[in-house]
Amino acid sequence: MRIAALAAMLLGLAGPACAAGTFDRIRAEGVVRCGAVERPGVAEAPPEGAPFGVTVDVCRAIAIAVLGPSARVTFNVYEAPQSFDGVRQGSDAVAFLTGGEIAEQNLAGFVVPGPTVLVSTIAVMVPQPSPVQRLADLSGQTVCLMIGSRAQRALESAVGSLHLAISRLTFEEDVEMLDAYDVGSCGAAVGETTYLADMRLNPGVRRLASRLLPDLLAPDPVIAVTPRSDGAWAATVAWVIGALLSADAPADAWTSNASSALRIAGLRSGWRDDVIAAVGSYGAIVRRNLTDRLGLPAGPNALWPAGVLLPPAIR
């Protein structure tokens, strides 16, 4: 479904009075409030300095589209259940969440699901000297994993389909899992690709140099969700994300028409140029946060329109 069709559908969910609520609050406060679960390269909140990551850049793009180049952003990192209250109460204008996170926190009744902003994936990491080169080579290995996690479910599916005989070492804390991997208690660790990539680049005192297997186990899309009470705001967010995705494509009639429609939706004249000048295209955002920061290829987050098609490894 094109972004235009999605935006038109969402626009029908709320009338002008409802639309005014989010826009008026943002303009009155002079800030766009967003949030996400912390993930390396996707949403990071260092102890010192400003948050950064793909979703932080997308949030900033939305803020600039509404408020102008000097727009302010507040970015919340969701951890404990109560930290999602901004999503439940609608005070967070945009949240970037997976379907699993929405289900676990019982948020479905509070949000409108919007476009995918990133396809997170599940991968396997092994020490550099390991003979394991592909997923099919894991037979006979002990794999460290977080019990009950999305990564465990993806691993079990792959192990079952490939008929692999592995041993499992399960943990409830990711720090404990990586400590076990460090000392060689397991020959592989499974987890979200960005998380493993960050661990690979920031080894502990004992940790061996590691690499990620090329086989990705499963996709886990991170989508932009907005308050359920404001479908017109959801449509506007979809338009801005669509502009980021299409920024690297040659200009055409659809792009021009989309820009006109976005102005009707309440955004400033010239907002698209301001957004691209400040944060770059979607391709530039991915390169900056995933490729340059974590050494990951764009993969399923490649440039539009190829980026919306999953490669064979994770279909």
Side-chain angles (χ1 to χ4, degrees), residues 216-233:
L216 300 178
L217 299 183
D220 201 9
V222 177
I223 64 175
V225 303
T226 52
R228 186 175 183 181
S229 61
D230 199 338
W233 170 248

Side-chain angles (χ1 to χ4, degrees), residues 13-14 18 87 90 107-113 225-232 234:
L13 296 178
C18 194
V87 181
L107 299 175
F110 300 94
V111 299
V112 171
V225 303
T226 52
R228 186 175 183 181
S229 61
D230 199 338

Side-chain angles (χ1 to χ4, degrees), residues 62-283:
I62 294 166
I64 291 170
V66 177
L67 298 172
S70 59
R72 292 190 300 117
V73 165
T74 295
F75 202 91
N76 302 314
V77 172
Y78 306 135
E79 296 176 326
Q82 61 268 26
S83 65
F84 290 85
D85 285 348
V87 181
R88 298 184 182 94
Q89 297 164 3
S91 56
D92 285 357
V94 188
F96 304 95
L97 302 169
T98 66
E101 290 158 357
I102 292 171
E104 289 166 7
Q105 300 299 327
N106 296 313
L107 299 175
F110 300 94
V111 299
V112 171
T116 295
V117 297
L118 182 93
V119 180
S120 178
T121 55
I122 307 297
V124 175
M125 180 172 71
V126 298
Q128 193 70 45
S130 172
V132 175
Q133 299 297 322
R134 303 298 296 259
L135 191 63
D137 301 331
L138 279 178
S139 279
Q141 296 288 327
T142 297
V143 180
C144 283
L145 54 88
M146 294 289 291
I147 191 166
S149 65
R150 173 80 171 95
Q152 181 187 16
R153 294 192 294 273
L155 176 69
E156 299 299 349
S157 177
V159 166
S161 63
L162 294 173
H163 306 291
L164 303 178
I166 66 169
S167 298
R168 299 158 183 80
L169 194 56
T170 61
F171 299 87
E172 295 184 355
E173 299 290 337
D174 52 6
V175 173
E176 294 177 352
M177 181 186 81
L178 287 167
D179 283 345
Y181 175 82
D182 281 351
V183 298
S185 297
C186 51
V190 62
E192 290 193 27
T193 302
T194 58
Y195 177 70
L196 295 178
D198 186 60
M199 294 300 100
R200 178 193 62 187
L201 293 175
N202 297 284
V205 175
R206 301 180 305 273
R207 191 170 305 151
L208 295 173
S210 297
R211 54 187 166 80
L212 300 179
L213 297 186
D215 306 291
L216 300 178
L217 299 183
D220 201 9
V222 177
I223 64 175
V225 303
T226 52
R228 186 175 183 181
S229 61
D230 199 338
W233 170 248
T236 299
V237 169
W239 280 117
V240 176
I241 294 172
L244 292 173
L245 289 169
S246 62
D248 287 306
D252 57 21
W254 183 85
T255 302
S256 300
N257 291 336
S259 296
S260 299
L262 284 161
R263 287 196 292 273
I264 294 172
L267 300 183
R268 304 169 308 101
S269 177
W271 68 270
R272 187 177 184 276
D273 291 340
D274 289 341
V275 165
I276 302 306
V279 303
S281 65
Y282 180 77

